[in-house]
Amino acid sequence: MPWLQLKLTTTKTYADAVGDELMMLGGLSVTLEDAADNPIYEPAPGETPLWNDIQMMVLFDAQINTDEVLAVWQENPFSEFTAHEKFEQVEDKDWVREWISRFEPMKFGERLWICPSWQPVPDETAVNVLLDPGLAFGTGTHPTTSLCLQWLDQADLHNKTVIDFGCGSGILAVAALKLGASKVYAVDIDPQAITATSENAKRNGVLDERLIIGQPEILGDVVVDVLVANILAGPLESLAEQISSHCGSHAKIALSGLLNHQVESVSQTYSTWFDMQQAENLQEWSRLTGTKK
């Protein structure tokens, strides 16, 4: 059965109220998008920011009377803060299955493949990480994850200890173990990331004593040979001293989640403790690497 979608524009001041009112009129879900060029790169912890100008899509059952809904909406006081209201038909799809059908095996570097678990691996002799998209960020499709995977592929991880700081799906932690690391600490403040990392580790046969998963507090005074952090520039800068404290002499770091224009500031911050190298770029994103002094 097809759905009907009401599209309109509003502002962040009234988005919550407008969405609530339309849900009371029979809306089933509300989706928000940027209606202008106002990107949000780094929300502060605990914040859920919105763009200044918002395009709202409200999903309705196809059996509703659209003229009636629009007429009732025009009588609502909050309609004063919306514009360009228009209904359109939405094709009925299993959107999860649609996305899954497009998720193909991806190669990073010389030997590392990220493969959806429902497809055969392209190369049985390669280092294959089986991954199902789920609760947390990190499938290899985003440039920052790709940059980190490429770095891990070329790094010497044999018998090394590693921290995956902000592990998300656990893709980097699992890859590090499969690339030869002796122990990996996968930490994240998001409980969903802890769950996702455990599930992906189990899927890859590495949910054992070599992998320690939890909140950052589990690190204690742990010092490792390699640390990879694919988070954001703001947290990377604020956590720089803490990250440095977990890196032994000559330890290697890879930092990503950076936009190209943020590289200089982050590199300068980490140069207090690390000999920083030139950034590697992919699209508008960057990865910094360094060696502990």
PDB file of all heavy atoms in Angstrom, residues 148-170:
ATOM      1  N   CYS A 148      40.165   5.337   8.081  1.00  0.00           N
ATOM      2  CA  CYS A 148      40.706   4.578   9.208  1.00  0.00           C
ATOM      3  C   CYS A 148      40.992   3.125   8.824  1.00  0.00           C
ATOM      4  O   CYS A 148      42.012   2.548   9.227  1.00  0.00           O
ATOM      5  CB  CYS A 148      39.740   4.627  10.390  1.00  0.00           C
ATOM      6  SG  CYS A 148      39.621   6.250  11.177  1.00  0.00           S
ATOM      7  N   LEU A 149      40.096   2.521   8.051  1.00  0.00           N
ATOM      8  CA  LEU A 149      40.309   1.146   7.617  1.00  0.00           C
ATOM      9  C   LEU A 149      41.542   1.038   6.721  1.00  0.00           C
ATOM     10  O   LEU A 149      42.322   0.086   6.840  1.00  0.00           O
ATOM     11  CB  LEU A 149      39.068   0.638   6.886  1.00  0.00           C
ATOM     12  CG  LEU A 149      37.846   0.367   7.768  1.00  0.00           C
ATOM     13  CD1 LEU A 149      36.606   0.162   6.909  1.00  0.00           C
ATOM     14  CD2 LEU A 149      38.066  -0.834   8.679  1.00  0.00           C
ATOM     15  N   GLN A 150      41.723   1.997   5.838  1.00  0.00           N
ATOM     16  CA  GLN A 150      42.908   1.989   4.977  1.00  0.00           C
ATOM     17  C   GLN A 150      44.182   2.084   5.815  1.00  0.00           C
ATOM     18  O   GLN A 150      45.186   1.423   5.522  1.00  0.00           O
ATOM     19  CB  GLN A 150      42.829   3.146   3.985  1.00  0.00           C
ATOM     20  CG  GLN A 150      41.761   2.997   2.922  1.00  0.00           C
ATOM     21  CD  GLN A 150      41.602   4.242   2.082  1.00  0.00           C
ATOM     22  OE1 GLN A 150      42.492   5.075   2.014  1.00  0.00           O
ATOM     23  NE2 GLN A 150      40.455   4.387   1.441  1.00  0.00           N
ATOM     24  N   TRP A 151      44.142   2.901   6.851  1.00  0.00           N
ATOM     25  CA  TRP A 151      45.309   3.064   7.713  1.00  0.00           C
ATOM     26  C   TRP A 151      45.601   1.776   8.482  1.00  0.00           C
ATOM     27  O   TRP A 151      46.757   1.352   8.594  1.00  0.00           O
ATOM     28  CB  TRP A 151      45.087   4.226   8.669  1.00  0.00           C
ATOM     29  CG  TRP A 151      46.264   4.524   9.536  1.00  0.00           C
ATOM     30  CD1 TRP A 151      47.394   5.219   9.205  1.00  0.00           C
ATOM     31  CD2 TRP A 151      46.440   4.129  10.910  1.00  0.00           C
ATOM     32  NE1 TRP A 151      48.244   5.288  10.277  1.00  0.00           N
ATOM     33  CE2 TRP A 151      47.691   4.630  11.336  1.00  0.00           C
ATOM     34  CE3 TRP A 151      45.662   3.419  11.815  1.00  0.00           C
ATOM     35  CZ2 TRP A 151      48.178   4.439  12.618  1.00  0.00           C
ATOM     36  CZ3 TRP A 151      46.140   3.211  13.096  1.00  0.00           C
ATOM     37  CH2 TRP A 151      47.391   3.716  13.491  1.00  0.00           C
ATOM     38  N   LEU A 152      44.556   1.146   9.009  1.00  0.00           N
ATOM     39  CA  LEU A 152      44.745  -0.105   9.736  1.00  0.00           C
ATOM     40  C   LEU A 152      45.321  -1.187   8.828  1.00  0.00           C
ATOM     41  O   LEU A 152      46.162  -1.984   9.255  1.00  0.00           O
ATOM     42  CB  LEU A 152      43.414  -0.581  10.330  1.00  0.00           C
ATOM     43  CG  LEU A 152      42.890   0.182  11.548  1.00  0.00           C
ATOM     44  CD1 LEU A 152      41.499  -0.310  11.912  1.00  0.00           C
ATOM     45  CD2 LEU A 152      43.829   0.036  12.743  1.00  0.00           C
ATOM     46  N   ASP A 153      44.875  -1.205   7.576  1.00  0.00           N
ATOM     47  CA  ASP A 153      45.358  -2.227   6.649  1.00  0.00           C
ATOM     48  C   ASP A 153      46.868  -2.139   6.443  1.00  0.00           C
ATOM     49  O   ASP A 153      47.543  -3.161   6.328  1.00  0.00           O
ATOM     50  CB  ASP A 153      44.640  -2.082   5.303  1.00  0.00           C
ATOM     51  CG  ASP A 153      45.174  -3.039   4.260  1.00  0.00           C
ATOM     52  OD1 ASP A 153      44.848  -4.237   4.334  1.00  0.00           O
ATOM     53  OD2 ASP A 153      45.946  -2.595   3.380  1.00  0.00           O
ATOM     54  N   GLN A 154      47.408  -0.924   6.411  1.00  0.00           N
ATOM     55  CA  GLN A 154      48.847  -0.779   6.164  1.00  0.00           C
ATOM     56  C   GLN A 154      49.676  -0.734   7.452  1.00  0.00           C
ATOM     57  O   GLN A 154      50.895  -0.760   7.406  1.00  0.00           O
ATOM     58  CB  GLN A 154      49.111   0.480   5.312  1.00  0.00           C
ATOM     59  CG  GLN A 154      48.622   1.782   5.902  1.00  0.00           C
ATOM     60  CD  GLN A 154      49.547   2.386   6.952  1.00  0.00           C
ATOM     61  OE1 GLN A 154      50.764   2.338   6.803  1.00  0.00           O
ATOM     62  NE2 GLN A 154      48.960   2.951   7.995  1.00  0.00           N
ATOM     63  N   ALA A 155      49.009  -0.654   8.601  1.00  0.00           N
ATOM     64  CA  ALA A 155      49.731  -0.571   9.872  1.00  0.00           C
ATOM     65  C   ALA A 155      50.273  -1.943  10.286  1.00  0.00           C
ATOM     66  O   ALA A 155      49.714  -2.985   9.923  1.00  0.00           O
ATOM     67  CB  ALA A 155      48.813  -0.023  10.961  1.00  0.00           C
ATOM     68  N   ASP A 156      51.336  -1.938  11.064  1.00  0.00           N
ATOM     69  CA  ASP A 156      51.874  -3.174  11.643  1.00  0.00           C
ATOM     70  C   ASP A 156      51.172  -3.405  12.983  1.00  0.00           C
ATOM     71  O   ASP A 156      51.524  -2.795  13.991  1.00  0.00           O
ATOM     72  CB  ASP A 156      53.384  -3.050  11.833  1.00  0.00           C
ATOM     73  CG  ASP A 156      53.979  -4.277  12.517  1.00  0.00           C
ATOM     74  OD1 ASP A 156      53.273  -5.305  12.607  1.00  0.00           O
ATOM     75  OD2 ASP A 156      55.127  -4.195  12.979  1.00  0.00           O
ATOM     76  N   LEU A 157      50.178  -4.284  12.981  1.00  0.00           N
ATOM     77  CA  LEU A 157      49.399  -4.536  14.196  1.00  0.00           C
ATOM     78  C   LEU A 157      49.760  -5.871  14.841  1.00  0.00           C
ATOM     79  O   LEU A 157      49.172  -6.219  15.871  1.00  0.00           O
ATOM     80  CB  LEU A 157      47.896  -4.523  13.866  1.00  0.00           C
ATOM     81  CG  LEU A 157      47.332  -3.219  13.293  1.00  0.00           C
ATOM     82  CD1 LEU A 157      45.834  -3.360  13.055  1.00  0.00           C
ATOM     83  CD2 LEU A 157      47.606  -2.048  14.238  1.00  0.00           C
ATOM     84  N   HIS A 158      50.693  -6.595  14.280  1.00  0.00           N
ATOM     85  CA  HIS A 158      51.011  -7.926  14.801  1.00  0.00           C
ATOM     86  C   HIS A 158      51.473  -7.838  16.256  1.00  0.00           C
ATOM     87  O   HIS A 158      52.435  -7.135  16.592  1.00  0.00           O
ATOM     88  CB  HIS A 158      52.098  -8.575  13.954  1.00  0.00           C
ATOM     89  CG  HIS A 158      52.396  -9.984  14.352  1.00  0.00           C
ATOM     90  ND1 HIS A 158      51.462 -11.001  14.255  1.00  0.00           N
ATOM     91  CD2 HIS A 158      53.522 -10.560  14.866  1.00  0.00           C
ATOM     92  CE1 HIS A 158      51.991 -12.122  14.686  1.00  0.00           C
ATOM     93  NE2 HIS A 158      53.247 -11.888  15.071  1.00  0.00           N
ATOM     94  N   ASN A 159      50.730  -8.531  17.128  1.00  0.00           N
ATOM     95  CA  ASN A 159      51.010  -8.576  18.570  1.00  0.00           C
ATOM     96  C   ASN A 159      50.950  -7.201  19.234  1.00  0.00           C
ATOM     97  O   ASN A 159      51.538  -7.001  20.306  1.00  0.00           O
ATOM     98  CB  ASN A 159      52.378  -9.218  18.840  1.00  0.00           C
ATOM     99  CG  ASN A 159      52.353 -10.718  18.603  1.00  0.00           C
ATOM    100  OD1 ASN A 159      51.313 -11.355  18.735  1.00  0.00           O
ATOM    101  ND2 ASN A 159      53.490 -11.287  18.230  1.00  0.00           N
ATOM    102  N   LYS A 160      50.257  -6.257  18.635  1.00  0.00           N
ATOM    103  CA  LYS A 160      50.121  -4.913  19.211  1.00  0.00           C
ATOM    104  C   LYS A 160      48.812  -4.811  20.002  1.00  0.00           C
ATOM    105  O   LYS A 160      47.823  -5.482  19.704  1.00  0.00           O
ATOM    106  CB  LYS A 160      50.145  -3.852  18.114  1.00  0.00           C
ATOM    107  CG  LYS A 160      51.422  -3.827  17.294  1.00  0.00           C
ATOM    108  CD  LYS A 160      52.579  -3.304  18.109  1.00  0.00           C
ATOM    109  CE  LYS A 160      53.912  -3.373  17.355  1.00  0.00           C
ATOM    110  NZ  LYS A 160      53.893  -2.671  16.087  1.00  0.00           N
ATOM    111  N   THR A 161      48.827  -3.921  21.007  1.00  0.00           N
ATOM    112  CA  THR A 161      47.605  -3.595  21.735  1.00  0.00           C
ATOM    113  C   THR A 161      47.010  -2.318  21.145  1.00  0.00           C
ATOM    114  O   THR A 161      47.737  -1.389  20.789  1.00  0.00           O
ATOM    115  CB  THR A 161      47.880  -3.395  23.233  1.00  0.00           C
ATOM    116  OG1 THR A 161      48.906  -2.405  23.393  1.00  0.00           O
ATOM    117  CG2 THR A 161      48.312  -4.699  23.881  1.00  0.00           C
ATOM    118  N   VAL A 162      45.674  -2.281  21.044  1.00  0.00           N
ATOM    119  CA  VAL A 162      44.994  -1.224  20.310  1.00  0.00           C
ATOM    120  C   VAL A 162      43.799  -0.710  21.109  1.00  0.00           C
ATOM    121  O   VAL A 162      43.123  -1.491  21.792  1.00  0.00           O
ATOM    122  CB  VAL A 162      44.499  -1.747  18.935  1.00  0.00           C
ATOM    123  CG1 VAL A 162      43.757  -0.649  18.165  1.00  0.00           C
ATOM    124  CG2 VAL A 162      45.652  -2.297  18.113  1.00  0.00           C
ATOM    125  N   ILE A 163      43.545   0.586  21.011  1.00  0.00           N
ATOM    126  CA  ILE A 163      42.297   1.166  21.507  1.00  0.00           C
ATOM    127  C   ILE A 163      41.513   1.703  20.317  1.00  0.00           C
ATOM    128  O   ILE A 163      42.046   2.464  19.499  1.00  0.00           O
ATOM    129  CB  ILE A 163      42.537   2.312  22.513  1.00  0.00           C
ATOM    130  CG1 ILE A 163      43.134   1.786  23.812  1.00  0.00           C
ATOM    131  CG2 ILE A 163      41.220   3.047  22.816  1.00  0.00           C
ATOM    132  CD1 ILE A 163      43.513   2.879  24.798  1.00  0.00           C
ATOM    133  N   ASP A 164      40.256   1.287  20.214  1.00  0.00           N
ATOM    134  CA  ASP A 164      39.309   1.887  19.272  1.00  0.00           C
ATOM    135  C   ASP A 164      38.445   2.839  20.105  1.00  0.00           C
ATOM    136  O   ASP A 164      37.520   2.415  20.793  1.00  0.00           O
ATOM    137  CB  ASP A 164      38.471   0.796  18.602  1.00  0.00           C
ATOM    138  CG  ASP A 164      37.438   1.359  17.627  1.00  0.00           C
ATOM    139  OD1 ASP A 164      37.398   2.586  17.444  1.00  0.00           O
ATOM    140  OD2 ASP A 164      36.655   0.560  17.070  1.00  0.00           O
ATOM    141  N   PHE A 165      38.784   4.120  20.042  1.00  0.00           N
ATOM    142  CA  PHE A 165      38.165   5.127  20.916  1.00  0.00           C
ATOM    143  C   PHE A 165      36.953   5.723  20.195  1.00  0.00           C
ATOM    144  O   PHE A 165      37.094   6.456  19.233  1.00  0.00           O
ATOM    145  CB  PHE A 165      39.185   6.219  21.243  1.00  0.00           C
ATOM    146  CG  PHE A 165      38.900   6.974  22.504  1.00  0.00           C
ATOM    147  CD1 PHE A 165      39.571   6.683  23.676  1.00  0.00           C
ATOM    148  CD2 PHE A 165      37.946   7.973  22.523  1.00  0.00           C
ATOM    149  CE1 PHE A 165      39.302   7.378  24.846  1.00  0.00           C
ATOM    150  CE2 PHE A 165      37.665   8.669  23.679  1.00  0.00           C
ATOM    151  CZ  PHE A 165      38.348   8.378  24.854  1.00  0.00           C
ATOM    152  N   GLY A 166      35.755   5.392  20.676  1.00  0.00           N
ATOM    153  CA  GLY A 166      34.526   5.756  19.981  1.00  0.00           C
ATOM    154  C   GLY A 166      34.215   4.696  18.950  1.00  0.00           C
ATOM    155  O   GLY A 166      34.171   4.947  17.754  1.00  0.00           O
ATOM    156  N   CYS A 167      33.989   3.457  19.421  1.00  0.00           N
ATOM    157  CA  CYS A 167      34.016   2.289  18.531  1.00  0.00           C
ATOM    158  C   CYS A 167      32.808   2.174  17.616  1.00  0.00           C
ATOM    159  O   CYS A 167      32.878   1.484  16.592  1.00  0.00           O
ATOM    160  CB  CYS A 167      34.178   1.007  19.352  1.00  0.00           C
ATOM    161  SG  CYS A 167      32.915   0.764  20.626  1.00  0.00           S
ATOM    162  N   GLY A 168      31.675   2.803  17.940  1.00  0.00           N
ATOM    163  CA  GLY A 168      30.512   2.730  17.065  1.00  0.00           C
ATOM    164  C   GLY A 168      30.086   1.301  16.819  1.00  0.00           C
ATOM    165  O   GLY A 168      29.755   0.558  17.747  1.00  0.00           O
ATOM    166  N   SER A 169      30.135   0.856  15.569  1.00  0.00           N
ATOM    167  CA  SER A 169      29.736  -0.504  15.213  1.00  0.00           C
ATOM    168  C   SER A 169      30.779  -1.541  15.611  1.00  0.00           C
ATOM    169  O   SER A 169      30.509  -2.742  15.548  1.00  0.00           O
ATOM    170  CB  SER A 169      29.494  -0.598  13.707  1.00  0.00           C
ATOM    171  OG  SER A 169      30.723  -0.442  13.011  1.00  0.00           O
ATOM    172  N   GLY A 170      31.975  -1.081  15.954  1.00  0.00           N
ATOM    173  CA  GLY A 170      33.068  -2.000  16.270  1.00  0.00           C
ATOM    174  C   GLY A 170      33.873  -2.412  15.064  1.00  0.00           C
ATOM    175  O   GLY A 170      34.774  -3.255  15.162  1.00  0.00           O
TER     176      GLY A 170
END
